[in-house]
Amino acid sequence: MGENDELIKEFLVESYENLDRLDREFMALEKDPTNRDYLSSIFRTIHTIKGTSGFFGFERLQALTHVGENLLSKLRDGKLVLSGDMPNALLAMVDAVRGMLGGIESTGVEEATDHTPLIARLSALLDENPSEAPTASGGPERQVGPLTAMFEAANAKTRAEHEAKAPATTAPAAPPAAKIVPKEPAPKEHQDARPTAAEGQAGALADTTIRVDVGLLDRLMNLVGELVLARNQILQLSTGNTDQTFIRTTQRLNLLTTELQEGVMKTRMQPIGNVWGKFPRVVRDLSGSCGKQVRIEMTGKDTELDKTLIEAIKDPLTHIVRNSIDHGIEMPEKRVAAGKPAEGLLSLKAFHEGGQVVIEISDDGGGINTKRVVDKAVEKALITREQAAKMSEREMVNLIFAPGFSTAEKVTNISGRGVGMDVVKTNIERIGGNVDIHNRLGLGTTLRIKIPLTLAIIPALIVTSGGERFAIPQVSLIELLRLDAQHMKEEIENVYGAPVYRLRGHLLPVVYLNRELGLADTATNAMTMVVLQAEERRFCLVVDGVQDAEEIVVKPLAKILKPLSVYAGATIMGDGRVALILDVLGIAKRAHAVAKSAERQVQEVAGTEQTKSNQQAILVFQSPDDGRMAIPVSKISRLEEIEVSRIERTGGAEVVQYRGVILPLLRIFDLLAERRKEPRNPDCGVPEGTLQVVIHTFGDRRVGLVVGRILDTVEHSLAIERAASRQGIVGCLVVQDRITELLDVEKVVGGTITDFYQQLQPA
């Protein structure tokens, strides 16, 4: 069934409901012929049916309701009084409309029934002006659905365009009749015997459709949630039970509960087209005010979401659409000069992917000028020029999500206040989604939003920490890791007080859940880590254990607990106890595991974004605190092992005779500010009585750098993954899965031998 057919079905259902109400209103109107409220309501109902039937090209239905509308207009305005044959004629019109709707439903087209006598009967009651058009409606407004409003607006536009194109000497021709394909053709006897009274059948569509109050649906959903909890409790009781009858009954209950849950979930699901329905008007008005030409295309309007999420994404989507028109799509003359059509295209697309709903908002505008974005970010002190120089293209684009950021030159009613994209990102992440930008300068921008299908019942991982149970939404879960005592010692390292773990080339912060929540610290010989993702950044959450993965019913937190950002809600477990649902993003921010600013992002990501082709040979050696340090081989002329007995002192400095010259020695670890007061391994693993010396040369001058035990020489990128926290160190690398400090040779040597690098200076 096509999109047009679905709209006609909605029209039929809505019309049947309106006609049923008309029967009651006409009965009440006969008792009180001057009641303006009833007259206004009846007039608007007939006016709606007339307008929508004209939109679909149902000419006979439109002609009949048009005459009835004229009569009702005069009754409503007080020009006529309901009396004589008027009630019967109007009720006959209602019955005729009901019969015509039944014909459209059963055959898919408007049947050629002759209603000329009824039209003449109604026209005769119009006094002396039977062709007079109805005046503007008055009285209290009737609540109409979005479908009706769309039909009325579209009908007015279609009628105006059609009349403008029609020849002056002929009457306007109605658009071709729309068709729908019925599921089952109605039997012939039903087609011949049309209902002629109010008690007649309304039609199959009305019989199979019911409108339910949203509050009742929410209560039903809550009851199903309680049933799911009870099911989980029974399943837990059945574990280890040998009673086969009880086990079979439990399995049956599990199956029925799952099917009921899925059915009730579907009642909460709504097509995303309900949100998109207002965007054509938004695009039309906004593009007109901006002096632009924009066409909107929407794909996947039938993609369904939970109604709670539908409400949550309304404002973010509206802001993105407004941004695309205001900032993205260029003025017509600029587009033409760039070889594009004067009319811009805004595309909305929705589809299911990996158990989530993906929404893409694309435009064919000029894209995001990253240079301008960076300049604005620097101007607003969000980043520095030095940080900007190290940023990747993607990081530059993501600056638009920074709070207070805007590229608008002046504040208007559309943009310029710096409130928008950061709120969009926050609201999307609050419902478990994420936003990503794909930018093509000169060609356009695509915002890709991923959100879960529902928030009511979600799959979660149950973990324990400090003797308490917690639920982690699986939408944030990447993988589980288990480290024994040996791997804990080797693979968990501290960088400036922060524990980190290297996972397949990625450096992940380690967060201990019990420490963040202030729970008891349980000492174990193994470590269980849950790898999670927040704001596109991954981190390891250390827990005491993992219990199971199951579907949980999300319960909102009490008002007093809502300020706690580390919790997203609560659930009731199978044993009846409450378990709190962790807010992954809140935990990450509390532990500083994700960047809070563009500056932090630059420091943590700069190394991984640089090209991997910049490989250099580096010498790796051991440091006194059992850590590792490296020197680029390009700064080394030779490696030597010198006996301690050969060392002499002159002028307070250590020297050694080396190849006919006096070679000064610098003990690297004495010159660097140590992180530990008492090094665990002061000899750095070097055999007693010897020194490992790196010979560094500049021109004809040499210096010997006394280092720890030399471990290896490897090819590695010098992209820094962590900034340095002490003088003499460039930064940190991850070499052979170990954190390694890169020595700043020039700073260490030049700071000690002040004239070492001056001999080759030009005169």
Side-chain angles (χ1 to χ4, degrees):
M1 180 173 286
E3 180 181 342
N4 203 43
D5 301 337
E6 290 289 348
L7 293 176
I8 294 176
K9 284 182 63 176
E10 292 290 337
F11 159 63
L12 293 173
V13 171
E14 191 173 290
S15 297
Y16 281 137
E17 292 178 352
N18 289 338
L19 291 176
D20 289 340
R21 189 181 67 256
L22 283 189
D23 289 336
R24 298 189 297 270
E25 290 177 342
F26 269 122
M27 297 302 99
L29 190 61
E30 277 195 309
K31 298 179 182 179
D32 186 7
T34 60
N35 190 306
R36 293 287 299 277
D37 291 341
Y38 286 136
L39 286 169
S40 295
S41 177
I42 294 170
F43 166 78
R44 283 190 293 273
T45 298
I46 297 300
H47 172 74
T48 297
I49 295 175
K50 184 205 76 169
T52 310
S53 60
F55 173 77
F56 285 122
F58 300 137
E59 301 176 21
R60 294 177 178 83
L61 180 58
Q62 183 184 23
L64 176 61
T65 51
H66 178 68
V67 179
E69 179 189 39
N70 288 341
L71 179 58
L72 287 167
S73 176
K74 287 200 170 188
L75 289 171
R76 181 200 59 181
D77 295 340
K79 297 179 181 179
L80 293 175
V81 178
L82 187 70
S83 59
D85 189 43
M86 288 183 186
N88 293 332
L90 289 171
L91 285 172
M93 177 197 67
V94 172
D95 291 339
V97 169
R98 196 189 306 273
M100 296 172 77
L101 292 175
I104 294 171
E105 178 185 344
S106 59
T107 65
V109 295
E110 186 180 38
E111 296 183 357
T113 306
D114 185 12
H115 292 290
T116 303
L118 180 57
I119 292 176
R121 179 181 174 187
L122 292 169
S123 298
L125 298 172
L126 280 172
D127 199 14
E128 298 178 355
N129 297 307
S131 61
E132 179 179 335
T135 59
S137 61
E141 289 295 328
R142 177 176 61 90
Q143 296 294 324
V144 297
L147 180 70
T148 300
M150 183 187 70
F151 283 159
E152 293 179 355
N155 181 54
K157 181 179 179 182
T158 302
R159 185 166 59 248
E161 293 176 351
H162 189 71
E163 291 174 356
K165 296 178 181 179
T169 56
T170 60
K179 297 182 179 181
I180 61 173
V181 180
K183 293 182 179 178
E184 293 185 35
K188 189 175 187 305
E189 60 267 25
H190 289 176
Q191 298 178 21
D192 294 338
R194 298 290 180 215
T196 57
E199 62 270 13
Q201 296 296 322
L205 282 175
D207 294 339
T208 58
T209 306
I210 185 172
R211 298 194 179 191
V212 181
D213 183 77
V214 172
L216 181 59
L217 276 182
D218 287 340
R219 175 168 171 74
L220 182 61
M221 189 67 213
N222 289 335
L223 291 174
V224 170
E226 296 296 332
L227 180 61
V228 169
L229 294 175
R231 183 270 312 268
N232 293 344
Q233 291 175 331
I234 293 176
L235 287 177
Q236 185 169 334
L237 290 175
S238 68
T239 303
N241 196 304
T242 58
D243 188 338
Q244 293 302 313
T245 302
F246 178 70
I247 292 175
R248 286 195 298 269
T249 304
T250 301
Q251 292 172 344
R252 180 66 175 165
L253 174 64
N254 184 28
L255 177 63
L256 293 176
T257 303
T258 301
E259 292 181 352
L260 179 61
Q261 172 192 332
E262 292 175 353
V264 173
M265 291 292 292
K266 289 180 180 178
T267 65
R268 290 170 55 96
M269 304 299 277
Q270 296 180 358
I272 199 170
N274 290 354
V275 177
W276 288 2
K278 66 177 182 178
F279 288 154
R281 176 67 183 274
V282 171
V283 171
R284 175 188 177 277
D285 293 348
L286 190 57
S287 59
S289 63
C290 294
K292 300 178 180 179
Q293 301 175 22
V294 183
R295 181 178 82 259
I296 184 171
E297 291 183 358
M298 296 179 285
T299 306
K301 290 190 288 185
D302 294 333
T303 304
E304 292 186 330
L305 275 172
D306 187 280
K307 75 175 189 68
T308 306
L309 296 175
I310 288 283
E311 294 297 322
I313 65 174
K314 277 184 179 179
D315 290 341
L317 288 183
T318 301
H319 187 87
I320 293 172
V321 168
R322 291 169 63 89
N323 253 24
S324 296
I325 298 173
D326 187 29
H327 295 291
I329 297 177
E330 313 97 324
M331 298 297 288
E333 57 273 14
K334 187 174 180 179
R335 291 179 60 85
V336 172
K340 299 180 181 180
E343 184 181 56
L345 174 63
L346 179 64
S347 174
L348 276 67
K349 184 178 181 181
F351 54 92
H352 292 280
E353 181 180 89
Q356 294 182 301
V357 173
V358 179
I359 305 172
E360 293 182 349
I361 304 98
S362 307
D363 64 68
D364 64 347
I368 299 175
N369 188 330
T370 53
K371 183 179 182 304
R372 186 181 177 202
V373 168
V374 168
D375 289 343
K376 281 289 183 179
V378 172
E379 178 185 325
K380 294 178 177 292
L382 298 176
I383 59 173
T384 64
R385 282 291 176 191
E386 292 73 18
Q387 294 165 356
K390 301 177 183 178
M391 297 182 78
S392 66
E393 184 78 11
R394 183 176 181 182
E395 289 176 313
M396 294 178 186
V397 171
N398 284 334
L399 283 172
I400 69 172
F401 291 120
F405 182 83
S406 175
T407 57
E409 298 297 336
K410 60 181 180 179
V411 175
T412 67
N413 62 343
I414 299 173
S415 63
R417 300 186 183 275
V419 179
M421 293 307 293
D422 62 317
V423 177
V424 168
K425 185 177 178 70
T426 301
N427 288 345
I428 294 298
E429 289 176 344
R430 185 174 292 128
I431 58 175
N434 61 73
V435 188
D436 194 17
I437 303 179
H438 300 275
N439 180 50
R440 298 173 299 164
L441 186 60
L443 299 177
T445 306
T446 298
L447 269 82
R448 184 181 174 94
I449 301 173
K450 281 188 176 182
I451 52 179
L453 287 174
T454 181
L455 293 179
I457 299 177
I458 62 172
L461 182 73
I462 309 302
V463 301
T464 59
S465 183
E468 301 289 342
R469 281 182 301 182
F470 301 94
I472 302 175
Q474 285 193 12
V475 68
S476 303
L477 179 64
I478 304 298
E479 61 182 294
L480 298 175
L481 300 173
R482 178 80 171 175
L483 302 180
D484 56 25
Q486 181 64 26
H487 286 88
M488 286 171 56
K489 182 178 179 181
E490 294 178 354
E491 300 182 21
I492 301 296
E493 306 178 40
N494 283 289
V495 178
Y496 315 129
V500 293
Y501 176 74
R502 185 72 175 184
L503 177 64
R504 293 188 294 275
H506 295 279
L507 189 62
L508 305 182
V510 176
V511 178
Y512 293 84
L513 182 59
N514 55 358
R515 298 177 187 175
E516 296 303 324
L517 301 182
L519 303 175
D521 193 354
T522 305
T524 60
N525 294 325
M527 178 181 288
T528 301
M529 294 194 297
V530 184
V531 182
L532 302 172
Q533 179 162 312
E535 285 191 344
E536 300 183 4
R537 301 294 307 283
R538 296 184 179 184
F539 68 98
C540 297
L541 184 67
V542 179
V543 298
D544 292 346
V546 175
Q547 287 194 340
D548 198 3
E550 62 180 65
E551 289 188 328
I552 62 171
V553 180
V554 179
K555 299 288 186 180
L557 289 174
K559 188 175 182 180
I560 193 173
L561 298 177
K562 285 186 177 180
L564 300 177
S565 61
V566 294
Y567 302 117
T571 188
I572 301 175
M573 304 304 299
D575 58 3
R577 295 174 58 194
V578 174
L580 291 171
I581 303 171
L582 297 179
D583 186 321
V584 174
L585 181 60
I587 289 284
K589 287 184 175 179
R590 183 187 180 106
H592 308 291
V594 296
K596 286 190 174 182
S597 64
E599 178 181 359
R600 176 93 180 232
Q601 285 186 330
V602 170
Q603 292 175 349
E604 296 184 351
V605 183
T608 59
E609 293 294 338
Q610 295 182 14
T611 175
K612 294 184 179 180
S613 62
N614 184 25
Q615 301 285 325
Q616 292 189 31
I618 58 174
L619 177 73
V620 181
F621 55 94
Q622 190 171 336
S623 60
D625 56 355
D626 287 344
R628 292 191 176 196
M629 197 169 289
I631 299 176
V633 172
S634 60
K635 301 182 185 297
I636 302 173
S637 60
R638 288 186 63 85
L639 298 177
E640 298 287 351
E641 188 170 276
I642 299 177
E643 294 178 359
V644 175
S645 60
R646 293 176 53 194
I647 298 176
E648 302 177 40
R649 300 187 69 86
T650 175
E654 290 184 322
V655 296
V656 67
Q657 297 182 37
Y658 177 74
R659 295 191 176 186
V661 298
I662 299 176
L663 180 71
L665 297 179
L666 301 180
R667 296 182 181 262
I668 295 297
F669 307 121
D670 292 340
L671 300 176
L672 298 178
E674 290 295 332
R675 293 191 296 273
R676 291 189 174 91
K677 295 181 180 179
E678 297 180 359
R680 292 182 296 181
N681 189 11
D683 60 5
C684 305
V686 178
E688 187 175 355
T690 62
L691 296 177
Q692 300 280 349
V693 179
V694 172
I695 308 300
H696 173 60
T697 303
F698 186 79
D700 60 354
R701 302 194 68 177
R702 297 173 184 173
V703 64
L705 305 178
V706 180
V707 299
R709 181 168 60 91
I710 295 175
L711 302 174
D712 201 0
T713 302
V714 298
E715 291 285 330
H716 199 278
S717 171
L718 296 186
I720 301 302
E721 295 200 30
R722 282 286 190 270
S725 65
R726 56 176 175 163
Q727 294 293 323
I729 300 297
V730 177
C732 290
L733 312 173
V734 176
V735 181
Q736 298 175 333
D737 294 334
R738 293 292 301 272
I739 306 299
T740 304
E741 293 181 305
L742 185 63
L743 184 68
D744 191 338
V745 177
E746 286 80 5
K747 183 166 291 187
V748 171
V749 175
T752 307
I753 307 174
T754 56
D755 63 343
F756 186 84
Y757 296 103
Q758 296 179 5
Q759 68 173 14
L760 295 182
Q761 296 287 339

